Amino acid sequence: MNDFYSAVYEVVKRIPRGKVLSYGDVARLVGRPRSARQVGWALHVNPQPGIIPCHRVVFKDGRLTDGFAFGGIDVQCELLKSEGVEVEDGAVDMNKYRWNI
């Protein structure tokens, strides 16, 4: 596993239950602000789905990703709802649920 992917996984593991970050947020936190798409690829091959909560990463406008690698958008939605995140029309309110670190 490369250093970038490892850094992505470490950031995503820190996102608290009930909070989300965007792909761009994660990219900025690992020091590669123009690498949001690469964050998506890293999460697509998440080696520890139960430990690295990639369902907590969404698009910058709060939309869930139809490419959620571990069951699709419905599973991502259910996982977020189980943590108290409200999902409406396939999106979360980033002003309310973004993890402010």
Side-chain angles (χ1 to χ4, degrees):
M1 176 178 354
N2 71 39
D3 291 342
F4 177 75
Y5 280 26
S6 295
V8 166
Y9 299 146
E10 288 307 311
V11 166
V12 173
K13 280 196 259 185
R14 293 178 29 223
I15 303 171
R17 288 178 60 83
K19 294 294 181 181
V20 299
L21 287 177
S22 72
Y23 294 96
D25 292 333
V26 174
R28 280 187 291 285
L29 288 169
V30 300
R32 301 258 308 266
R34 299 178 55 85
S35 298
R37 193 174 298 255
Q38 287 80 8
V39 168
W41 282 112
L43 296 179
H44 186 75
V45 296
N46 179 351
Q48 300 175 305
I51 296 169
I52 302 168
C54 57
H55 65 280
R56 296 179 187 151
V57 181
V58 298
F59 290 118
K60 66 182 175 183
D61 62 1
R63 285 180 300 123
L64 306 188
T65 175
D66 53 2
F68 182 67
F70 303 100
I73 195 168
D74 292 334
V75 172
Q76 184 180 21
C77 180
E78 289 308 313
L79 288 169
L80 289 170
K81 285 182 176 180
S82 75
E83 297 181 357
V85 176
E86 298 169 355
V87 179
E88 187 172 316
D89 296 324
V92 301
D93 181 340
M94 292 301 281
N95 292 320
K96 184 173 183 179
Y97 293 107
R98 175 181 268 132
W99 181 37
N100 293 313
I101 55 171

